[in-house]
Amino acid sequence: MLGARDRKGFSRDKVDIEAMEQENDRDLDHLADRVALLKNVTHGINKEVDDQHKLLDNMDGNFMSVRGLMGAVTDKFRLVYNDKANKGLIYGVVGVATVLFLVWYLTRK
């Protein structure tokens, strides 16, 4: 007689069932560790995405307030520019700024 056989025809002498179960348990523990690590990483990514989303929302609000301020400044500048007496002043200021810029640029070399 060659040895006891199980239902599938494998010899119990050749297959150490207990060793296979221990190996499966080790593999399951390793898999559980990897799943826990992956869970932690995904939670970290989720938190980072939420933080970035809040930052973008805050920036959008800031840009909207700056846009309102720039609109007000533009309206006031238009009022000043449309007055004929102020056009000469504006051209003078732009001319002086241009001359100062040119002097600065030429002395820099």
Side-chain angles (χ1 to χ4, degrees):
M1 190 164 222
L2 292 173
R5 297 192 177 266
D6 63 4
R7 287 185 229 156
K8 295 183 181 178
F10 293 110
S11 170
R12 289 182 189 217
D13 295 336
K14 292 183 180 179
V15 178
D16 189 3
I17 295 173
E18 198 171 305
M20 289 177 68
E21 286 180 2
Q22 288 175 355
E23 184 179 348
N24 282 343
D25 289 341
R26 281 192 304 273
D27 289 343
L28 284 173
D29 290 340
H30 180 69
L31 183 61
D33 292 341
R34 301 294 286 184
V35 168
L37 180 64
L38 182 60
K39 181 180 176 183
N40 289 337
V41 168
T42 56
H43 281 299
I45 291 171
N46 187 32
K47 184 182 180 317
E48 184 66 27
V49 167
D50 287 342
D51 291 345
Q52 295 294 325
H53 188 63
K54 288 176 187 174
L55 178 68
L56 288 174
D57 285 344
N58 289 339
M59 286 177 65
D60 185 41
N62 291 340
F63 281 128
M64 293 303 282
S65 66
V66 168
R67 184 177 187 187
L69 290 173
M70 289 301 292
V73 167
T74 304
D75 291 341
K76 289 179 183 179
F77 184 75
R78 223 178 258 136
L79 285 173
V80 170
Y81 185 74
N82 287 335
D83 187 9
K84 295 214 184 252
N86 290 332
K87 280 188 181 180
L89 180 64
I90 291 172
Y91 289 135
V93 168
V94 170
V96 168
T98 304
V99 168
L100 289 175
F101 177 75
L102 286 173
V103 169
W104 172 78
Y105 183 74
L106 293 174
T107 58
R108 212 180 72 163
K109 288 184 176 188

